[in-house]
Amino acid sequence: MKLTYREAWKRNVRAWRIWWKLCPSVFLSSALTSVFEAVAPLAAIYFSARLISELAGKRNPQTLLQWVLLILITQAVLQLLKGLCSHWKEYALDIAYRMDDQVLMEKMTSLDYADIDRQYTYDLFSQIKQNENYSGFGIQMAFHIFEHDFVLGLVQIIGGTALSVTMFLRRVPADSSLAFLNSPFLAVAVLAALLVIAVLSPFLYSKGQQYFSDYTPKARFGNRLFGFFGFSTTEQKRASDMRMYRQQENICCIYFDRSNMFSSDSDIGKAARGPMGLLTGASAGLSMGVVGLVYLFVCLKAWGGAFGVGEITQYVGAATQFFLGISALLDAVAEIRINGEFLGTTFEFLDIPNKMYQGSLTTEKRSDRKYEIEFKDVSFRYPGTEQYALRHVNLKFSVGSRLAVVGPNGSGKTTFIKLLCRLYDPEEGQILLNGIDIRKYCYEDYIGIFSVVFQDFRLFALPLGENVAACCDYDRARVQKALDDAGFGGKYTPDTWLYKDLEKEGVEVSGGEAQKIAIARALYKDAPFIILDEPTAALDPIAEAEIYSKFDEIVTDKTAVYISHRLSSCKFCDEIVVFEKGRIVQQGTHDDLVADERGEYYALWNAQAQYYV
Ligand code: ADP
């Protein structure tokens, strides 16, 4: 459906409001910069005209000096003021641009996890970024329209009108053969012709530019390809694969040949050589027509004796400013519509609602850490899928116990953890904490009781200590203890930078070392529940044995939940639950479960037992 102008306007106004909230001073500083920018040439036009008139007339040195001084002083003052305001504007804009990114970042981090996990959200976000990078349209463009086109355009129109109005009022002497130039009809006709050209020229220009915005979806894809393939050959983490499989050739082929986005043969290249070029050229030609018509009218009037040579300069200059203003204003009108389309994507993203119920109960900070979790007939399907990832799950576990979750790939183990941490809510059934539905707790409070090491954990290119503590201001002794407990002690200090992205002395850690750091981060949080999803997958057997042998000591009175494929490491847990196809098919201690020869656990155990004998 085509966007109405009203709706486009509303979206731009909303973007202005965002700017206003981010940094109100950008409006004042930009408006003032634009005013001084527009007034400086008008002042120059006015005083130069007086100077030329004097030169062509009486040539009084005193008066000439006066006009020269006025030109110099007004220009110096106006340029100085413009410079000052422009610095102020740059400063304010710098703050606002950073905060503009923050608006998107804050939205991203406050989204319901289920929404972050959706392709739709990811697509919206990358579209916004692509739009900003490709054409600058979006929230930032809304501001540009305000400062550059609206304010500058308005001041140019007002100033240009003020300086050129007498062009029509001053009369050619009645006895001149050019007296017909005094006719009001002629004045109206000239004005009308000027206005038509003034409107037509930007109209043709914006028609030409329309090719750019029509090309946006394709260019967006091209930009995506560029963003991904353009840099992948230089990524250190891909270097080994690149060499082994000569991927650079394949990638160059995809990037350069298959994506015909920006070459001269691309659609936009063809348009630029064809209709787009014609329209832009016609627009530029018409703008020149305006100047030509003004020159003709003004010079004829001057020839007829209506005014002198100084006024010719004034009227031509003022009329040029006037039409520049009209053109800027019309640009703004056209851009508001185009930007409205792009802002649609931005606001669709910013308006994604938080549907998860947010309760207000606090999870008491119990010194006895007495927490009991119960899954009551919980079923769950990932949004947009038909298949149940969990089906009728019933489970109770209380504080201090060691719970192992085992089962084949895709049986629902990670999903179980995601529901426990309220990344998703169950579709049916309830999860209870101390008898109360977890939805009724304040979300921040609730997730505060869990330390989780997800399978796909990520560390930051920051000092080791900051990674472990997840903040800059941390307790070194506790960080060191957490690292020691996770088996990472000694090798690096908390000040050692991880990775080389930001620090040339940064260290590269192996997968196993990274996993130990992630475990240390979970230990540092010191939450009553510690959950490890495949906690030792990347560890060597010795490191794994070390972790497990002292796990009781590390976990102390916390409740530990581990998901593991290695059944030998679950053997020591108080309770083991076996998942299969989203259901709990067995539950009990290792000895109970291994005794059931027809059970899934027995099969899994025996499949691995040969490695442990
Ligand atoms: P496990 O941890 O036991 O290997 P998961 O809990 O990750 O298994 O997955 C259980 C099922 O849910 C699988 O069929 C998987 O394909 C599906 N699944 C997991 N994550 C998603 C997701 N984000 N969207 C849709 N389906 C998913």
Side-chain angles (χ1 to χ4, degrees):
M1 206 177 64
K2 203 159 163 50
L3 179 71
T4 61
Y5 201 80
R6 197 184 143 86
E7 182 56 31
W9 172 260
K10 269 166 65 183
R11 288 180 189 172
N12 279 274
V13 170
R14 183 171 166 194
W16 289 336
R17 279 214 204 99
I18 292 179
W19 276 94
W20 180 259
K21 228 168 128 188
L22 290 179
C23 189
S25 64
V26 285
F27 282 92
L28 187 59
S29 57
S30 303
L32 284 176
T33 310
S34 296
V35 167
F36 292 127
E37 192 178 334
V39 168
L42 289 166
I45 289 167
Y46 181 76
F47 292 122
S48 306
R50 301 287 79 72
L51 180 68
I52 293 169
S53 290
E54 188 60 31
L55 274 172
K58 295 185 197 140
R59 307 174 77 174
N60 178 344
Q62 205 74 37
T63 320
L64 285 174
L65 181 68
Q66 173 201 324
W67 289 125
V68 169
L69 283 178
L70 268 172
I71 291 174
L72 292 177
I73 293 169
T74 49
Q75 286 307 304
V77 170
L78 286 168
Q79 294 298 342
L80 188 72
L81 288 172
K82 187 186 135 194
L84 283 174
C85 289
S86 149
H87 272 293
W88 179 25
K89 177 181 96 171
E90 292 303 323
Y91 172 72
L93 270 179
D94 197 49
I95 298 173
Y97 280 148
R98 256 179 289 147
M99 285 159 85
D100 169 38
D101 273 343
Q102 214 170 313
V103 171
L104 298 179
M105 269 157 46
E106 273 171 12
K107 179 68 192 175
M108 200 56 146
T109 46
S110 66
L111 281 173
D112 288 348
Y113 183 81
D115 283 319
I116 295 179
D117 217 16
R118 279 163 74 198
Q119 184 65 24
Y120 161 81
T121 313
Y122 177 75
D123 276 351
L124 275 183
F125 186 74
S126 54
Q127 265 181 39
I128 296 168
K129 285 280 140 202
Q130 297 293 344
N131 291 341
E132 280 180 0
N133 294 341
Y134 166 59
S135 53
F137 283 107
I139 293 189
Q140 295 192 1
M141 179 57 90
F143 183 71
H144 178 77
I145 297 173
F146 164 82
E147 62 145 352
H148 197 259
D149 297 336
F150 265 129
V151 181
L152 193 68
L154 273 178
V155 181
Q156 282 172 328
I157 290 174
I158 295 169
T161 311
L163 293 187
S164 59
V165 106
T166 50
M167 164 169 88
F168 295 103
L169 302 180
R170 296 183 66 173
R171 302 178 68 79
V172 175
D175 54 354
S176 161
S177 59
L178 294 172
F180 69 92
L181 292 169
N182 295 333
S183 155
F185 296 110
L186 186 73
V188 170
V190 169
L191 202 61
L194 290 175
L195 279 175
V196 168
I197 302 178
V199 172
L200 202 59
S201 166
F203 173 76
L204 293 179
Y205 181 75
S206 77
K207 276 271 159 214
Q209 291 303 299
Q210 188 66 37
Y211 283 86
F212 254 127
S213 68
D214 291 348
Y215 194 63
T216 301
K218 263 196 182 174
R220 200 183 287 145
F221 181 65
N223 266 326
R224 259 198 209 183
L225 281 181
F226 176 71
F228 183 72
F229 291 119
F231 302 101
S232 53
T233 45
T234 56
E235 279 172 31
Q236 182 230 354
K237 289 197 172 70
R238 293 185 186 276
S240 48
D241 275 358
M242 232 11 123
R243 275 160 185 69
M244 293 315 291
Y245 301 103
R246 303 205 55 76
Q247 287 176 318
Q248 65 274 31
E249 284 166 17
N250 188 24
I251 279 166
C252 290
C253 166
I254 292 173
Y255 172 47
F256 291 113
D257 301 343
R258 277 193 240 158
S259 72
N260 184 21
M261 299 291 166
F262 304 117
S263 71
S264 61
D265 263 351
S266 63
D267 291 350
I268 193 75
K270 285 182 193 149
R273 289 200 300 275
M276 186 178 162
L278 272 178
L279 287 164
T280 323
S283 157
L286 280 177
S287 311
M288 284 294 103
V290 168
V291 182
L293 192 57
V294 171
Y295 259 110
L296 185 68
F297 185 67
V298 169
C299 289
L300 281 176
K301 272 194 114 169
W303 195 14
F307 38 72
V309 67
E311 278 79 1
I312 295 182
T313 334
Q314 174 175 331
Y315 295 143
V316 171
T320 311
Q321 290 297 312
F322 176 81
F323 290 111
L324 283 176
I326 294 269
S327 157
L329 220 57
L330 289 171
D331 275 354
V333 170
E335 279 167 354
I336 286 215
R337 178 188 288 286
I338 301 177
N339 201 39
E341 307 253 6
F342 289 93
L343 283 173
T345 316
T346 310
F347 293 138
E348 196 175 333
F349 173 73
L350 290 180
D351 291 340
I352 295 177
N354 286 83
K355 294 195 204 101
M356 260 186 152
Y357 180 79
Q358 303 272 346
S360 55
L361 288 182
T362 51
T363 52
E364 320 135 57
K365 300 252 175 314
R366 306 179 66 125
S367 53
D368 59 357
R369 293 185 177 233
K370 277 250 171 287
Y371 294 100
E372 185 188 68
I373 291 278
E374 182 176 5
F375 274 61
K376 256 179 127 173
D377 200 25
V378 169
S379 296
F380 173 74
R381 279 181 295 194
Y382 281 97
T385 60
E386 288 297 308
Q387 197 82 20
Y388 277 91
L390 289 185
R391 199 79 180 115
H392 302 304
V393 171
N394 286 291
L395 182 70
K396 207 177 207 178
F397 56 97
S398 45
V399 77
S401 59
R402 309 274 180 270
L403 176 77
V405 180
V406 301
N409 286 336
S411 56
K413 306 182 295 293
T414 301
T415 309
F416 167 75
I417 299 302
K418 285 185 177 168
L419 261 65
L420 175 62
C421 300
R422 257 208 103 187
L423 295 181
Y424 295 95
D425 280 334
E427 198 177 323
E428 294 160 27
Q430 281 184 310
I431 304 171
L432 309 174
L433 170 70
N434 294 348
I436 298 172
D437 192 320
I438 59 173
R439 281 175 273 219
K440 297 198 176 141
Y441 292 99
C442 159
Y443 184 68
E444 291 294 321
D445 236 35
Y446 177 72
I447 53 172
I449 64 171
F450 297 101
S451 282
V452 192
V453 181
F454 289 108
Q455 269 181 54
D456 52 358
F457 67 86
R458 288 273 186 282
L459 300 177
F460 279 104
L462 284 174
L464 177 59
E466 291 182 27
N467 267 289
V468 172
C471 65
C472 329
D473 194 11
Y474 57 85
D475 179 336
R476 279 179 81 87
R478 274 187 57 215
V479 162
Q480 196 54 58
K481 174 153 182 5
L483 286 166
D484 289 344
D485 286 346
F488 192 77
K491 193 163 175 187
Y492 303 118
T493 71
D495 303 318
T496 311
W497 278 74
L498 297 191
Y499 312 120
K500 297 197 186 297
D501 306 53
L502 299 177
E503 165 61 53
K504 67 178 186 328
E505 302 295 333
V507 296
E508 290 299 326
V509 285
S510 72
E513 286 172 329
Q515 200 156 30
K516 287 179 185 173
I517 298 169
I519 293 174
R521 179 171 63 185
L523 295 174
Y524 186 90
K525 186 174 171 187
D526 195 26
F529 285 83
I530 180 155
I531 301 172
L532 308 172
D533 191 350
E534 291 293 340
T536 55
L539 299 188
D540 60 62
I542 297 177
E544 184 189 3
E546 255 176 37
I547 289 260
Y548 281 108
S549 65
K550 55 181 196 173
F551 222 92
D552 269 342
E553 193 187 311
I554 299 172
V555 170
T556 58
D557 58 345
K558 297 183 183 69
T559 305
V561 181
Y562 345 112
I563 299 185
S564 183
H565 282 304
R566 302 193 204 190
L567 299 200
S568 61
S569 49
C570 304
K571 201 170 142 180
F572 314 100
C573 289
D574 306 316
E575 180 143 42
I576 300 171
V577 289
V578 185
F579 274 81
E580 199 186 350
K581 294 186 184 144
R583 292 171 190 269
I584 294 183
V585 289
Q586 277 185 295
Q587 188 171 347
T589 62
H590 169 76
D591 294 337
D592 294 342
L593 296 177
V594 88
D596 179 1
E597 292 185 11
R598 281 174 305 169
E600 175 73 16
Y601 188 84
Y602 181 85
L604 288 169
W605 176 259
N606 278 301
Q608 294 180 4
Q610 51 179 310
Y611 303 114
Y612 302 121
V613 174

